[in-house]
Amino acid sequence: MYDVCQLATAMLAIAFTALLLITGQRFIESRLQREAKPPIVAMATLPP
């Protein structure tokens, strides 16, 4: 019975760690996409 409890605890820890890694990766990717937007610059042109 004790082995089953240890296995369940280990599986829960692994699942939690995987969830944190995936969530962190998605957060970093979304933050990089928001920061990577090119600045909006008005081009000055001369009349022909």
Side-chain angles (χ1 to χ4, degrees), residues 13-42:
I14 290 170
F16 184 69
T17 303
L19 182 66
L20 282 177
L21 287 171
I22 292 169
T23 305
Q25 181 68 26
R26 287 191 177 186
F27 174 77
I28 290 171
E29 287 175 358
S30 68
R31 187 162 186 159
L32 286 175
Q33 285 179 355
R34 270 189 272 143
E35 291 177 357
K37 290 182 182 173
I40 299 172
V41 178

